[in-house]
Amino acid sequence: MNAALATRGILRIPRLARGYAAPPKPHHKILVVGGGSGGLSVANQVYNRFKEEGKALGDGDVAIVDAAEWHSYQPGWTLVGAGLQSKVDLRRRLVDLIPAHIALVPQNVASFQPEFNSVTLTTGESVTYDSLIVSAGMKTNWDNIKGFSAALADYTSGVSSIYSYETCDKTWADIESFRGGKALFTQPAGVIKCAGAPQKIMWMAWDRWRRTKRLNETEIEFVTGMPSMFSVKKYSDALNALRVKRGIEASFEHNLVEIDHRAHIAKFKKPDGEIVEKEYTLLHATPPMGPLDFIKNSPLADSVGWVDVDQFTLRHKKYPNVWSLGDCSSLPTSKTAAAITVQTPVLVDNLYRVAETGEIGGAQYDGYTSCPLLIGYGELMLAEFTYGGVPKETFHSMLGIDQVTPRRFFYHLKKDIFPLTYFNYMTKGLWYGPHLVTRPKYPAKAEVAATA
Ligand code: UQ1
C-alpha cells in the first residue's frame, strides 16, 4: 500500500504534489479519455493485465487524457452533505493518483477522429492511439434550472446541492441552520448519476432533525420528475412505505425548472406542461444531467449523445478499437462507481483478448450496479441489481440476507469501508466491487446465447 496515499486525509499529513505520471507522447498504445473513477480503474487494470500475462507494456504506453487538477470521490459528497465527512478529505490531485508507468496528458479532448485513430485536444494538438477507452463522465446542467446558480451563490438562500464539490458542504450548513418550515428535496426527470442520492440526503436531513427535535415544526416533501421513488420496484416499494411512515410528502412527475430564491419559491413543470409553484424554507436541488458536448457532437455518440457501445462487451458498435465505460457510456444501467467496478474487468478482458488474438472473448457485463441508500445515521438499504432492474444482492448470495432490510453493517460499508477501498484499491485498479480484490475470470470464447 502506498503509505502516503493511504494516510492522507486520515492522519492529515501534508505533502507536496509528486507528479508521478509519465510524460505524454504523440502516440499511445492505449489512450484513456478521463481521469475519474472509470479512467483510473481501467488504465491501471489494463496495464496490470498485460503485465500479468507476461506482455508488460512500456512506461507511457497507457495514457490518461484529462486537464482536471483534482480527482474527487463523488460518492462521498452525500456524506459531506450529511455532516459525516470533510470534503477536502475526498479529493486528491489527479497527477498524484497516476503511477509512473502511466502517462498523463493534462489537456481536455475537443473532438474524436476514430477513422484516423486520433483525438484532437483543446490546444489543437492531436494524439493517436491503437485502442481508445472513453470514460469521461457526464455533464451537470446547472443552468437548465433558471435561478439555480444565483441561489447557490447566495449563502443565505437555503438552496444547496450535494452534486458538486463547491456546494456539498452548504447542504450540511443549511440542514444545521434549519429551524423548521418547509423543506423540499428535488430530483430531475431523466438520467442522472447516482439516482438514489437526491433522496439519501433527504433521509439524512429527516434523521438529523428527528434527533435534534426539529421535526415538529417541519414539513418535508420529495418532489421528483420521476414516476416513483426508485427505478427497481423492490426497493421503490420499500422506500415509499418508509416515506409514508416518516410523514414525508411526495409529488411525482414534477420537474424543477426555476428557483426564485428571493421569494423562496420553486417552480415545477408537470408532463402536461402545467407549472406548479411551491414555497420553501430549505431546498436541496439536484441538477439535470446529460452527455458531454464533445462526445455528443462526435462520431462515437448514439442518438442521445452517449458513447455507443455494446451493452455486454463494452466495445463500440462501429469502431472496433474503441471502448467505453462509466457515466459517458450508453450502457443501459444506473450510473454509479459500483457499476464501474464490474464494467472495468469486463472491458479489460475483452480489450486484452482482442489485442492478443484479434478476437473478443466471453467476458460480458450483466448491468450490475448498486445504490447504497442511506436512510439515516446508522441505517442503509443496499440496493444491487442488473439490467432490467433484477436484484443481485451480494450478501443475499453469501449470507441469505435480504438487502431491502436496512442494516448498520451496510451503513459502515458506505461511510467507512468504500471511501478507504476507493483510494487504496479502486483507483489503483485493484478493486472488483462485489468480487472485492479478486479479478473475475471469464471464458475465452463467448458461450452461445447461454442456453438454459
Ligand atoms: C463498491 O465496490 C464500491 O466501490 C468502492 C462502492 O462505492 C461507491 C459501492 O457503493 C458498492 C456497492 C460497491 C460494491 C461492493 C460490495 C462489497 C457490495
Side-chain angles (χ1 to χ4, degrees):
M1 196 190 298
N2 181 324
L5 286 183
T7 54
R8 193 166 178 242
I10 297 168
L11 300 181
R12 297 168 171 281
I13 300 168
R15 74 189 170 90
L16 294 170
R18 299 276 280 273
Y20 282 116
K25 299 190 279 191
H27 179 90
H28 295 275
K29 284 189 178 157
I30 295 162
L31 193 63
V32 178
V33 177
S37 306
L40 287 177
S41 302
V42 83
N44 281 288
Q45 286 192 30
V46 155
Y47 180 88
N48 295 346
R49 180 64 188 274
F50 277 86
K51 194 171 174 186
E52 246 178 81
E53 305 276 355
K55 314 243 152 107
L57 298 163
D59 285 359
D61 281 348
V62 179
I64 292 173
V65 191
D66 199 327
E69 181 180 7
W70 297 100
H71 170 107
S72 277
Y73 177 64
Q74 295 185 39
W77 291 345
T78 319
L79 301 172
V80 176
L84 292 166
Q85 264 281 4
S86 157
K87 69 178 187 179
V88 294
D89 292 341
L90 295 175
R91 69 176 193 175
R92 304 285 186 272
R93 278 181 204 280
L94 175 58
V95 70
D96 288 344
L97 293 176
I98 300 178
H101 51 263
I102 293 178
L104 174 63
V105 182
Q107 302 295 340
N108 283 329
V109 169
S111 61
F112 296 93
Q113 295 77 41
E115 304 84 5
F116 304 107
N117 301 322
S118 173
V119 303
T120 303
L121 307 175
T122 48
T123 57
E125 290 160 292
S126 36
V127 182
T128 56
Y129 55 80
D130 296 337
S131 297
L132 177 71
I133 304 172
V134 188
S135 182
M138 70 196 298
K139 188 176 158 199
T140 307
N141 296 315
W142 302 95
D143 293 335
N144 288 10
I145 296 173
K146 198 175 161 202
F148 197 177
S149 297
L152 289 172
D154 175 354
Y155 69 93
T156 66
S157 66
V159 178
S160 72
S161 184
I162 53 169
Y163 273 90
S164 83
Y165 181 81
E166 286 69 31
T167 58
C168 59
D169 48 350
K170 189 179 195 238
T171 300
W172 178 239
D174 285 356
I175 289 174
E176 278 307 73
S177 59
F178 183 72
R179 292 290 176 274
K182 177 107 194 187
L184 299 182
F185 293 83
T186 75
Q187 173 156 0
V191 177
I192 59 168
K193 48 187 159 186
C194 191
Q199 64 180 287
K200 291 177 197 172
I201 194 63
M202 174 183 74
W203 299 125
M204 297 310 274
W206 176 88
D207 198 19
R208 180 67 187 164
W209 296 332
R210 177 181 68 90
R211 288 161 190 259
T212 51
K213 314 229 165 1
R214 284 179 275 178
L215 277 184
N216 279 344
E217 305 81 45
T218 300
E219 249 181 84
I220 304 177
E221 183 173 350
F222 187 53
V223 194
T224 173
M226 306 300 282
S228 63
M229 293 298 288
F230 199 73
S231 63
V232 179
K233 190 170 186 307
K234 169 175 174 169
Y235 307 112
S236 189
D237 289 350
L239 291 163
N240 204 48
L242 185 69
R243 178 183 73 69
V244 173
K245 188 175 139 201
R246 289 183 174 181
I248 296 174
E249 303 286 313
S251 293
F252 297 98
E253 298 190 298
H254 280 59
N255 197 31
L256 179 62
V257 287
E258 186 176 343
I259 301 169
D260 180 344
H261 76 275
R262 295 217 167 76
H264 281 249
I265 288 174
K267 298 179 188 173
F268 300 86
K269 194 172 187 175
K270 299 209 299 184
D272 61 9
E274 191 197 333
I275 300 288
V276 175
E277 295 194 358
K278 290 181 190 285
E279 267 189 77
Y280 64 83
T281 320
L282 178 150
L283 170 64
H284 179 271
T286 303
M289 299 170 210
L292 289 156
D293 293 327
F294 77 98
I295 293 177
K296 191 174 178 173
N297 302 326
S298 82
L300 301 181
D302 67 8
S303 60
V304 181
W306 309 117
V307 182
D308 197 14
V309 290
D310 180 275
Q311 70 175 79
F312 302 111
T313 63
L314 282 55
R315 191 180 202 180
H316 198 274
K317 288 185 183 164
K318 193 160 156 209
Y319 304 103
N321 63 338
V322 177
W323 309 79
S324 180
L325 81 173
D327 295 351
C328 70
S329 71
S330 63
L331 302 169
T333 190
S334 177
K335 297 179 183 299
T336 67
I340 288 170
T341 65
V342 176
Q343 292 165 7
T344 310
V346 170
L347 189 158
V348 168
D349 198 76
N350 286 331
L351 186 150
Y352 174 76
R353 286 184 206 273
V354 167
E356 284 306 302
T357 68
E359 265 180 63
I360 200 148
Q364 302 228 317
Y365 174 55
D366 63 1
Y368 173 88
T369 187
S370 167
C371 187
L373 286 147
L374 279 164
I375 55 163
Y377 294 85
E379 288 175 283
L380 188 141
M381 180 192 297
L382 185 57
E384 290 180 282
F385 49 97
T386 59
Y387 285 140
V390 180
K392 186 185 184 188
E393 300 181 344
T394 303
F395 300 96
H396 185 254
S397 50
M398 273 166 53
L399 304 164
I401 288 171
D402 188 343
Q403 292 181 191
V404 81
T405 310
R407 279 169 205 276
R408 178 168 279 275
F409 167 65
F410 297 155
Y411 174 78
H412 288 294
L413 269 184
K414 163 80 188 170
K415 180 171 95 65
D416 305 307
I417 312 287
F418 291 147
L420 273 182
T421 56
Y422 185 77
F423 282 117
N424 294 315
Y425 294 90
M426 185 164 167
T427 54
K428 297 175 181 176
L430 303 172
W431 182 252
Y432 301 96
H435 304 276
L436 309 181
V437 294
T438 337
R439 175 162 72 80
K441 298 289 193 300
Y442 307 100
K445 280 222 178 329
E447 277 140 38
V448 185
T451 38

